[in-house]
Amino acid sequence: MGQHKHVRVAVIGSGFAGIGAAVRLRREGITDFVVLERADSVGGTWRDNEYPGCACDVPSHLYSFSFAPNPDWPRTFSGQPYIRAYLEDVVDTFGIGPHLRLGREVLSARWDTRELHWVVETDGRGAGPTTYTADVVVSAGGPLSDPRMPDIPGLADFPGPVFHTARWDRDADLRGKRVAVIGTGASAIQVVPAIQPEVGHLTLFQRTPPWVMPRHDRDITRFERAVHRAVPATGALRRRGLWTIRELQVQAFTRHPGELGLVEAIARRHLAKAIGDPDLRARLTPSYRIGCKRILLSNTYYPALAQPNVDVVTSGLAEVRGSELIGADGSKAEVDAIVLGTGFHVTDMPIAERVTGAAGRTLAETWRGTGMRSLRGATVDGFPNWMTIIGPNTGLGNSSMILMIEAQLDYLADYLRKLGSLDRGGRGRRAALDARPGAVRAWNDHVQERMARTVWNTGGCTSWYMDSSGRNTTIWPGTTAEFRRATLRVDPAEYDIVRQAPADVPADAHAPAAKEAVR
């Protein structure tokens, strides 16, 4: 028999966005909330990605919460175990543990137009299902949470281990084996040099070569860490410097892509220094402008590809016949294991299929034909009291997503304040805030207009930033400071108030809710 519980706020996911939301809720004095996590521990993508070599490509002092500085980062670019441990420490420091509901996958979330709350169904595995009702739902699952598995003929019948980098098979012993790596994104360029020395032979299937820049990584000395512990302002200053450099770079990506020529020259020199074979160098040289896809950082990727036990197939994987992999150019490779570095469901978030709004349509149905769209990356018309952290057009091409998360947490806090004042003034009738369709449309038209001249749209590549219709629904076309100003406060003119019907009015799930302007 399932359990039923009501909370003020239900947060979905316990990565950076979910943990950040939980901390912000407690700082706002809200303790009636739960964090629903489908896994058995916190950490999000930094829990799931345990592949060899996994690390962040943003400096650690910038890839952390401003309200929870860590003076003890061991390297300028710290590895996955340290980032996961940092998130676990934030949970402990800010008392989030009692709010966690681990092993609770959200199966569906439905807006109840009569009661003005969300009905969230969860699967508790051995603990049994639990239904939560929540005044507000914060979706914090993140875009890098659900791996994308490629549709390749014959892949399901491959006789050896097949696994995605985000679902690394710890039981698969790759030592001395013939291994294929599919893809050349951020995960693949970390996996390849990590496993190349121990495998018998490695075949990399590359559809499009990435631009790779030097990774200026080093140990952070004991002296530096001691200074950051003794004088916290030094750590804040370090963070500020890293942020400023990236803010100054933004215009090259968003307004003047031609200015990226110098960066491209550095990347070409980086490639030339590591790859002496002119044929291989030509196959590893991108034909699109640098920045169109995410610029990757590595000092070991190119040297690994130059080793005698590595082959690079530049046509991509077309078919699998038993243990034989067939490239689109007809090339063949016998392998014992396949590692998929094929990315994630970013522009088609699976959670959207499970969320049903006021009109009885899912979020996925609402976005069908238009692509993902929201108001200020957070709210969607027809889905009252629903907010997404790391929503449409909040991604970054050159800086730390933690900056964007914290900006959206400001927006969440103000949203809840305004909602609380409406409830207190509602004479016992609860209220909800619903984004106005015109406001959502105006915001997205503005974003797409700015996006049109960016390197992500004009650089001549096909990237995971784009949806199936060619819209860039992923990246923010400006600075993080601009986004923070745009999300500091909720603009009342962009929302309608939905009021709970009087008790004597018969319930009709399909009747339109009464709305009024926010004052």
Side-chain angles (χ1 to χ4, degrees):
M1 194 72 170
Q3 303 178 57
H4 296 263
K5 301 179 181 180
H6 181 79
V7 292
R8 176 63 169 164
V9 182
V11 179
I12 303 174
S14 68
F16 266 100
I19 291 172
V23 172
R24 190 57 184 266
L25 289 172
R26 286 188 62 89
R27 295 177 118 187
E28 291 293 315
I30 298 172
T31 57
D32 182 18
F33 71 91
V34 292
V35 179
L36 303 173
E37 170 55 58
R38 64 187 176 187
D40 295 325
S41 58
V42 303
T45 193
W46 296 107
R47 174 201 59 234
D48 296 341
N49 286 270
E50 297 181 304
Y51 60 82
C54 182
C56 189
D57 59 0
V58 175
S60 299
H61 283 85
L62 192 59
Y63 197 78
S64 47
F65 292 119
S66 63
F67 54 78
N70 178 17
D72 289 313
W73 288 115
R75 300 187 64 83
T76 51
F77 293 88
S78 295
Q80 174 264 343
Y82 295 101
I83 300 173
R84 181 179 181 180
Y86 168 77
L87 286 171
E88 292 170 345
D89 185 61
V90 171
V91 167
D92 292 339
T93 300
F94 290 90
I96 305 305
H99 301 279
L100 293 175
R101 301 295 181 268
L102 301 176
R104 290 275 170 201
E105 181 171 9
V106 172
L107 303 178
S108 67
R110 175 181 54 82
W111 178 248
D112 186 323
T113 57
R114 172 71 188 198
E115 299 298 328
L116 293 195
H117 63 209
W118 286 93
V119 180
V120 183
E121 305 285 351
T122 70
D123 177 11
R125 300 181 201 157
T130 298
T131 299
Y132 292 89
T133 56
D135 299 335
V136 177
V137 171
V138 179
S139 178
L144 304 183
S145 56
D146 291 282
R148 181 181 292 280
M149 305 299 287
D151 184 16
I152 298 173
L155 182 62
D157 298 321
F158 181 76
V162 179
F163 50 91
H164 195 280
T165 52
R167 300 291 184 268
W168 192 263
D169 186 350
R170 295 182 180 180
D171 296 327
D173 185 359
L174 302 181
R175 290 175 296 180
K177 302 294 179 59
R178 299 167 299 178
V179 179
V181 175
I182 316 302
T184 54
S187 300
I189 73 155
Q190 294 179 346
V191 164
V192 166
I195 67 173
Q196 174 271 319
E198 66 179 33
V199 303
H201 193 274
L202 191 151
T203 303
L204 176 67
F205 282 83
Q206 167 194 278
R207 284 191 305 176
T208 308
W211 282 108
V212 182
M213 292 283 287
R215 184 183 183 89
H216 300 296
D217 190 19
R218 65 171 179 83
D219 289 334
I220 297 177
T221 66
R222 290 184 179 180
F223 175 75
E224 290 175 279
R225 283 179 272 169
V227 170
H228 292 330
R229 282 195 300 272
V231 187
T234 60
L237 184 62
R238 185 174 193 154
R239 177 187 177 91
R240 184 79 177 185
L242 292 167
W243 170 78
T244 301
I245 291 170
R246 281 154 182 77
E247 291 290 274
L248 294 174
Q249 294 170 345
V250 169
Q251 70 168 356
F253 290 84
T254 60
R255 297 182 181 181
H256 309 292
E259 294 179 358
L260 291 166
L262 176 59
V263 180
E264 190 170 301
I266 296 172
R268 288 181 183 275
R269 186 164 61 249
H270 183 54
L271 170 60
K273 286 176 63 178
I275 304 295
D277 179 1
D279 175 63
L280 179 58
R281 189 164 61 244
R283 288 186 285 146
L284 296 175
T285 302
S287 59
Y288 56 89
R289 181 171 291 282
I290 194 168
C292 184
K293 290 175 177 279
R294 188 173 182 93
I295 300 173
L296 306 180
L297 306 178
S298 178
N299 299 328
T300 56
Y301 177 65
Y302 288 145
L305 297 185
Q307 298 305 308
N309 69 332
V310 177
D311 286 330
V312 179
V313 178
T314 57
S315 61
L317 178 60
E319 184 183 355
V320 178
R321 299 174 189 165
S323 60
E324 187 177 60
L325 275 56
I326 314 298
D329 62 355
S331 59
K332 300 178 181 180
E334 285 277 347
V335 302
D336 305 306
I338 300 175
V339 176
L340 301 171
T342 48
F344 299 84
H345 289 276
V346 176
T347 60
D348 57 341
M349 293 186 294
I351 189 68
E353 299 280 359
R354 306 183 184 191
V355 181
T356 303
R361 294 195 303 163
T362 66
L363 191 54
E365 290 170 332
T366 301
W367 283 341
R368 195 162 294 143
T370 66
M372 297 193 306
R373 57 179 180 78
S374 64
L375 175 59
R376 302 182 188 273
T379 56
V380 180
D381 52 298
F383 294 79
N385 288 9
W386 173 276
M387 184 171 291
T388 301
I389 308 295
I390 317 182
N393 290 113
T394 60
L396 296 175
N398 76 313
S399 192
S400 172
M401 277 305 301
I402 313 306
L403 301 168
M404 302 295 278
I405 290 172
E406 290 197 32
Q408 291 198 288
L409 296 181
D410 287 339
Y411 198 72
L412 169 63
D414 197 50
Y415 188 98
L416 291 170
R417 290 186 209 112
K418 286 183 168 56
L419 194 60
S421 66
L422 291 172
D423 284 342
R424 288 190 294 273
R427 297 180 181 178
R429 294 169 57 201
R430 290 148 43 80
L433 289 174
D434 192 8
R436 291 182 170 182
V440 176
R441 186 167 52 252
W443 174 259
N444 284 273
D445 287 349
H446 171 66
V447 169
Q448 292 303 321
E449 180 183 354
R450 294 185 61 180
M451 192 70 70
R453 60 188 177 188
T454 68
V455 70
W456 305 299
N457 279 34
T458 64
C461 72
T462 300
S463 73
W464 55 265
Y465 300 150
M466 304 289 192
D467 65 16
S468 59
S469 300
R471 299 184 189 89
N472 191 327
T473 57
T474 306
I475 296 293
W476 167 245
T479 65
T480 62
E482 287 179 283
F483 187 78
R484 186 144 208 158
R485 288 193 295 270
T487 55
L488 192 59
R489 296 283 185 271
V490 169
D491 182 355
E494 295 180 329
Y495 287 89
D496 287 321
I497 301 172
V498 184
R499 286 285 185 193
Q500 191 175 28
D504 57 349
V505 176
D508 184 351
H510 301 288
K515 294 186 177 182
E516 60 186 81
V518 181
R519 293 179 175 83

